[in-house]
Amino acid sequence: AQTVTQSQPEMSVQEAETVTLSCTYDTSESDYYLFWYKQPPSRQMILVIRQEAYKQQNATENRFSVNFQKAAKSFSLKISDSQLGDAAMYFCAYRPTYSGAGSYQLTFGKGTKLSVIP
Amino acid sequence: DSGVTQTPKHLITATGQRVTLRCSPRSGDLSVYWYQQSLDQGLQFLIQYYNGEERAKGNILERFSAQQFPDLHSELNLSSLELGDSALYFCASTKDPTGASSAGYTFGSGTRLTVV
């Protein structure tokens, strides 16, 4: 079974600084997707960024970028120029590209709570 | 607004009772996933429906059941409720059963269930 581990339950960053959230995963698949979701106090789950395992280039979305290390099964999220609105729970998630069982649910890590200090 | 609607937003009920949570997927999406988010277990997959049919089951208790109706909305039924069922219940929708055609899964804002 696939597992996703986020080893940092809480982190903090000064406004305008850069922070990196860690995520490791375990899978025997070679094709899969990895995601970072943001959950602010409003509790809405918001997709931040997505990475396809067959793509070597790291995904980037404005101030958010990932460092995808397939061999190490590592998928970290870097937030640059942190803003107060970035304060939230961040979840790393995995799903296989192909599933013999026909289901493509996400497997989530337990999350990292990010605080942004003004 | 994500386009996925969950009702009610909050629900408080007593142990032993039964509740129904409702999810309307984003327009055009055929697949609905239910997740339970609790403090100790994180986000756990419960069940998936695609176009009215059950596709997969995760860690769903026998006291829980779900269905997806012809208009594609889905209901999650929780019965014989226990204190430990208190959690945030999310649904997410995708256009196809794989989710590959979308940028990910679109989540609703969840139903906060409190069992007292």
Side-chain angles (χ1 to χ4, degrees):
Chain A
Q2 295 87 4
T3 57
V4 177
T5 303
Q6 294 178 249
S7 59
Q8 307 150 315
E10 294 187 28
M11 291 196 72
S12 61
V13 62
Q14 293 280 348
E15 196 175 2
E17 296 296 308
T18 296
V19 64
T20 299
L21 309 184
S22 301
C23 172
T24 59
Y25 57 94
D26 186 26
T27 182
S28 58
E29 303 290 335
S30 58
D31 285 331
Y32 47 87
Y33 294 94
L34 295 164
F35 305 85
W36 278 99
Y37 278 89
K38 171 185 178 181
Q39 187 179 40
S42 67
R43 78 191 187 201
Q44 179 77 49
M45 294 288 285
I46 301 165
L47 178 65
V48 175
I49 201 164
R50 172 176 107 149
Q51 175 79 41
E52 296 167 75
Y54 72 89
K55 290 186 177 178
Q56 295 189 349
Q57 186 173 6
N58 290 323
T60 299
E61 288 289 341
N62 301 313
R63 298 183 294 106
F64 299 87
S65 61
V66 297
N67 183 5
F68 173 48
Q69 302 286 330
K70 190 173 183 180
K73 296 180 181 175
S74 169
F75 182 61
S76 61
L77 174 70
K78 185 171 84 171
I79 306 174
S80 304
D81 186 25
S82 296
Q83 300 175 0
L84 295 178
D86 296 332
M89 282 290 289
Y90 286 82
F91 292 94
C92 178
Y94 162 100
R95 58 145 280 203
T97 303
Y98 306 105
S99 169
S103 181
Y104 298 87
Q105 71 268 22
L106 298 173
T107 300
F108 286 90
K110 297 216 168 173
T112 297
K113 183 177 180 180
L114 179 67
S115 301
V116 180
I117 303 165
Chain B
D1 182 10
S2 68
V4 178
T5 303
Q6 288 190 249
T7 57
K9 292 192 184 306
H10 303 276
L11 196 50
I12 302 175
T13 190
T15 54
Q17 295 298 304
R18 171 189 168 95
V19 297
T20 297
L21 312 183
R22 181 186 171 109
C23 170
S24 294
R26 193 178 56 168
S27 178
D29 286 356
L30 301 177
S31 195
V32 171
Y33 297 77
W34 285 97
Y35 289 84
Q36 178 192 57
Q37 184 181 17
S38 59
L39 283 175
D40 54 344
Q41 295 293 324
L43 276 147
Q44 298 284 313
F45 167 67
L46 296 178
I47 197 164
Q48 179 204 359
Y49 279 83
Y50 175 70
N51 205 21
E53 294 190 1
E54 182 184 303
R55 262 303 176 109
K57 273 187 174 180
N59 299 319
I60 188 166
L61 300 172
E62 285 191 11
R63 301 183 285 108
F64 296 0
S65 64
Q67 54 184 325
Q68 187 179 29
F69 295 85
D71 67 352
L72 301 177
H73 90 272
S74 178
E75 293 181 357
L76 179 67
N77 301 296
L78 314 177
S79 62
S80 302
L81 285 167
E82 302 175 358
L83 296 178
D85 297 327
S86 295
L88 193 53
Y89 291 84
F90 281 106
C91 79
S93 72
T94 65
K95 190 174 294 293
D96 63 46
T98 70
S101 65
S102 69
Y105 297 72
T106 304
F107 282 82
S109 58
T111 294
R112 168 75 69 188
L113 173 66
T114 302
V115 182
V116 297

